[in-house]
Amino acid sequence: MKKIFSIISFPFVWAYRFVNDAIYSLKVVIHSKRKPKGRLEARKNKEKVYDLIFYSCFLAIPFAMFILTNIIINGNAIVMAFEKMEDGKTVFAGLENFKQIFINFRIDGNYMFMLKNSLLIYLFTTVFNSFIPILFSYYVYKKLFGYRVFKVMLFIPTILSSIITVSIFTMLSNEVIPDLWMELFGKTLHPLLVNPNTTFPTILTYTLWMGFGGGLLTQLAAMNTVDPSVSESAQLEGVGFFQELWYIVLPACYQILMLGFITGAGSIFTNSLNLYAFFGNGAPSTASNFGYFFQIRTLDGEYAEYFYLSAWGVFTTIIATALTLSLRWLFNRFGPSEDSRENKKKV
């Protein structure tokens, strides 16, 4: 416990020393200002004091948020991972909460099912939300017919409230599409979000729809880094529409694609697929995943259960960190190097 206390108290000691040194530096500046100096030098010292006060006030809010969210809250969660509730008191539990995680994976079949869904969500949101928007971004990049309409229509869902987009998508899935199916094919189609067999694919489609806007902006920004003279030279040499995309534009988007795969690894255990916005606490079991499952347990669970949830958070953080570093190494090891990408841009 002493080691844990020393680790938690270290940021506060460091913060105290930082503030104390800043106050001391301010006092030195003020004291030096009192010495008889020229008017110009006194004005410079006064401006330095004002700048120091401004920077201190400017950094106070993010520094306070860092202390609150990253040190106090996360530090408390790490400590709770090694504790448990016993006879109404908090006692040290060692690795008992972490052992319970492996026990649940062995005896509870829902954990493996949720792991499968969480991995499918990761693959879907990273692969489809990374590669499919490339075609739309390339269409806008080439400024083809109606590209401004595509840009606006694909970006609108990202600026609307999630309540609005969820309501629109629910109406389309449960009312519009079944009615349209009946008129076109004369067959009954159950509401897509109500039917357990179609709930999970339908929610994945909603995620793809909502991811178009962000993917469009980032990939279009990467495509605009390509020198226009390179594209013009390629067209004069007879390079086609898709050849230009493959050999010239995609290398410029490689860093964005790599970043999407790497950062997406951290969301395997946290992405709830917006199930709470659609169903509240009553999402179908076929769409259950780790993000939604532990979100519900956090909202509806008792205080005694938070110790296990804290251990789960520490456990998944370790797994996500290892997976993120591994993906980063793989992309840097087997992907195109910076020199090769620069050469492709110059060819």
Side-chain angles (χ1 to χ4, degrees):
M1 291 300 293
K2 291 182 179 180
K3 291 183 179 180
I4 295 176
F5 178 77
S6 61
I7 293 174
I8 297 175
S9 61
F10 173 77
F12 297 97
V13 175
W14 179 84
Y16 171 78
R17 292 177 179 176
F18 176 80
V19 174
N20 191 28
D21 293 342
I23 295 175
Y24 177 76
S25 301
L26 182 61
K27 289 181 179 180
V28 171
V29 173
I30 295 175
H31 180 72
S32 62
K33 176 179 174 293
R34 295 176 179 175
K35 296 180 180 180
K37 297 179 180 179
R39 182 176 299 178
L40 180 60
E41 188 173 355
R43 182 184 300 174
K44 291 182 178 179
N45 292 332
K46 186 177 181 180
E47 292 177 354
K48 290 181 180 179
V49 173
Y50 289 156
D51 291 341
L52 182 60
I53 295 174
F54 171 76
Y55 293 141
S56 300
C57 295
F58 184 76
L59 295 175
I61 296 177
F63 185 75
M65 292 299 298
F66 174 80
I67 295 294
L68 177 63
T69 58
N70 292 278
I71 296 180
I72 297 178
I73 296 179
N74 292 337
N76 183 50
I78 294 174
V79 173
M80 290 181 65
F82 299 92
E83 296 177 338
K84 66 178 180 179
M85 185 69 68
E86 192 173 275
D87 297 331
K89 296 181 180 180
T90 302
V91 297
F92 182 70
L95 299 177
E96 184 176 333
N97 294 322
F98 295 93
K99 293 179 181 178
Q100 187 62 40
I101 295 175
F102 292 97
I103 293 174
N104 290 338
F105 268 101
R106 188 175 69 251
I107 65 176
D108 192 347
N110 290 329
Y111 272 68
M112 295 304 298
F113 180 77
M114 289 186 294
L115 177 61
K116 183 195 73 172
N117 280 354
S118 298
L119 291 175
L120 286 176
I121 293 170
Y122 165 68
L123 293 176
F124 185 87
T125 54
T126 53
V127 174
F128 285 91
N129 278 346
S130 296
F131 288 100
I132 291 182
I134 285 181
L135 299 177
F136 294 94
S137 301
Y138 186 58
Y139 188 92
V140 175
Y141 167 76
K142 296 296 291 183
K143 298 181 179 180
L144 300 178
F145 176 77
Y147 75 96
R148 290 189 177 90
V149 177
F150 275 101
K151 185 187 298 185
V152 174
M153 294 301 295
L154 292 175
F155 190 70
I156 281 180
T158 61
I159 63 177
L160 294 177
S161 171
S162 61
I163 301 299
I164 297 176
T165 56
V166 165
S167 300
I168 294 174
F169 192 81
T170 301
M171 182 182 64
L172 290 174
S173 302
N174 292 340
E175 299 179 15
V176 177
I177 294 179
D179 293 342
L180 186 61
W181 189 273
M182 175 61 73
E183 292 184 5
L184 293 177
F185 304 102
K187 296 181 180 180
T188 302
L189 180 67
H190 295 286
L192 300 179
L193 290 175
V194 177
N195 186 1
N197 296 326
T198 58
T199 299
F200 189 64
T202 304
I203 297 295
L204 286 177
T205 304
Y206 171 80
T207 304
L208 176 62
W209 175 46
M210 294 301 297
F212 271 149
L216 175 67
L217 285 182
T218 55
Q219 293 171 4
L220 186 59
M223 291 178 182
N224 287 329
T225 61
V226 178
D227 191 346
S229 61
V230 175
S231 298
E232 293 175 359
S233 300
Q235 292 173 6
L236 292 175
E237 294 294 331
V239 173
F241 183 82
F242 290 101
Q243 287 179 323
E244 181 182 353
L245 172 64
W246 182 259
Y247 291 105
I248 298 177
V249 176
L250 278 183
C253 300
Y254 176 77
Q255 292 289 349
I256 300 297
L257 297 176
M258 181 184 70
L259 186 63
F261 274 91
I262 294 175
T263 57
S267 65
I268 293 177
F269 301 101
T270 59
N271 191 349
S272 64
L273 208 64
N274 299 290
L275 290 177
Y276 191 81
F278 280 98
F279 306 101
N281 296 350
S285 58
T286 55
S288 182
N289 54 78
F290 280 130
Y292 176 74
F293 178 71
F294 285 97
Q295 180 184 12
I296 297 302
R297 293 187 65 173
T298 304
L299 294 175
D300 299 339
E302 299 179 354
Y303 180 75
E305 195 175 8
Y306 289 166
F307 301 100
Y308 172 76
L309 296 177
S310 298
W312 173 260
V314 174
F315 173 74
T316 55
T317 299
I318 295 173
I319 299 299
T321 302
L323 184 59
T324 299
L325 295 177
S326 301
L327 288 174
R328 181 177 179 272
W329 179 84
L330 286 174
F331 275 102
N332 291 332
R333 175 67 176 82
F334 298 101
S337 62
E338 188 68 26
D339 295 336
S340 63
R341 290 195 297 269
E342 289 296 330
N343 292 334
K344 287 183 180 181
K345 291 181 181 180
K346 294 178 181 179
V347 173

